[in-house]
Amino acid sequence: AQSVTQPDIHITVSEGASLELRCNYSYGATPYLFWYVQSPGQGLQLLLKYFSGDTLVQGIKGFEAEFKRSQSSFNLRKPSVHWSDAAEYFCAVGINTGNQFYFGTGTSLTVIP
Amino acid sequence: ETGVTQSPTHLIKTRGQQVTLRCSSQSGHNTVSWYQQALGQGPQFIFQYYREEENGRGNFPPRFSGLQFPNYSSELNVNALELDDSALYLCAGTSGLQETQYFGPGTRLLVL
C-alpha cells in the first residue's frame, strides 16, 4: 500500500539558515511526488512536483527537492529561509493517474528572527 | 489564485444530519478530487471524479458520496454525520489526469 512519511513533526530554524524537510514514500510503481505548503487558514499551494526526468526539481519561492529512488525519498530544501516561509509543509505521492494524492502528516516550520 | 472556490467556508451540523459541500472549478478542470483534513493531520483522499464519473476512492464509507456536473462544479455529500467527520474538506481541480491539482481554500465542518 502507498504511504508517505514525514519524520519531522516540527522544525525551527533561524531566518537566513538553510532548511531541509524530509519525506519518504512507499509505492510500488513510479511515483509522482509533490510538495505543498499550507499557511494558517489557507488552502494548499503547490511548491514543486516530480513526474519524471531530472531528479533535482526547482520550485517556487526558492525551494528545490531531490528525488532519490534508492532511498525512496523526496526531501525539500531551501538555502536561506525567510520569515514568510513559516507554514505547514506536506509531501504527497500521486497514484494511479498521478493526481490521487496520499499526503504525509506534515511538518510545521517555525522561523525565528 | 487557483481558480477553485468552495462554499460555504464554515459549517456547523449536529450528529446524524446530512451535509452538502460545494466546489466550483475553472473551465477546463475536468477532474475534481475531494480530501478530508482533520486537525493536525495531512489531507486524506476521499474520491475523485473525471468527466462526471467516479475515478477512484480512498478508504471512506459509502455515506460519503459525490457528484460532478458539466459546468465543472461538484458536490460532496455526507450522510449520518459523526463527530469524527469534523474536519477541513478540500477540493482540487485539474485539467487532466496527469496534470497539477489546484486546491480550493476548503470548507471547515464542525459536527456537534
Side-chain angles (χ1 to χ4, degrees):
Chain A
Q2 60 282 338
S3 66
V4 177
T5 301
Q6 294 182 245
D8 304 304
I9 296 173
H10 185 242
I11 283 182
T12 300
V13 299
S14 298
E15 190 168 17
S18 64
L19 172 70
E20 183 169 26
L21 302 182
R22 295 183 291 165
C23 173
N24 292 95
Y25 68 90
S26 174
Y27 183 51
T30 301
Y32 300 93
L33 296 163
F34 305 81
W35 276 98
Y36 280 82
V37 61
Q38 186 177 40
S39 298
Q42 303 294 314
L44 292 162
Q45 181 183 23
L46 177 69
L47 288 176
L48 46 79
K49 62 184 178 183
Y50 172 77
F51 279 8
S52 64
D54 193 347
T55 57
L56 184 62
V57 180
Q58 301 297 321
I60 63 171
K61 303 183 179 184
F63 285 94
E64 67 176 27
E66 186 171 12
F67 170 56
K68 293 185 178 180
R69 184 185 299 274
S70 61
Q71 299 177 18
S72 298
S73 69
F74 189 57
N75 294 348
L76 182 71
R77 301 193 294 250
K78 186 170 185 178
S80 178
V81 171
H82 187 263
W83 64 266
S84 61
D85 293 325
E88 190 84 18
Y89 290 80
F90 293 97
C91 179
V93 59
I95 70 167
N96 295 339
T97 55
N99 53 22
Q100 295 175 14
F101 286 1
Y102 285 81
F103 285 86
T105 51
T107 297
S108 177
L109 174 65
T110 297
V111 180
I112 56 177
Chain B
E1 186 61 45
T2 65
V4 180
T5 59
Q6 293 185 244
S7 63
T9 55
H10 295 82
L11 198 55
I12 300 175
K13 291 285 188 177
T14 57
R15 192 172 51 183
Q17 284 189 312
Q18 178 267 344
V19 68
T20 297
L21 309 182
R22 293 179 173 83
C23 173
S24 179
S25 198
Q26 69 183 40
S27 176
H29 281 185
N30 56 18
T31 303
V32 64
S33 302
W34 284 90
Y35 295 82
Q36 180 195 66
Q37 186 178 17
L39 201 60
Q41 301 295 316
Q44 290 193 57
F45 175 67
I46 302 175
F47 45 56
Q48 181 182 80
Y49 279 80
Y50 173 62
R51 293 182 177 177
E52 302 167 46
E53 298 281 338
E54 189 175 292
N55 185 51
R57 190 178 184 92
N59 189 28
F60 280 81
R63 61 189 185 85
F64 286 78
S65 63
L67 286 171
Q68 185 187 24
F69 303 101
N71 64 352
Y72 304 107
S73 66
S74 74
E75 291 179 354
L76 165 65
N77 298 290
V78 187
N79 293 322
L81 283 166
E82 301 177 359
L83 298 180
D84 286 348
D85 295 334
S86 296
L88 179 68
Y89 287 86
L90 298 163
C91 77
T94 182
S95 57
L97 294 180
Q98 291 186 341
E99 297 297 322
T100 298
Q101 288 193 94
Y102 295 94
F103 284 82
T107 292
R108 188 163 296 282
L109 172 66
L110 177 61
V111 182
L112 301 175

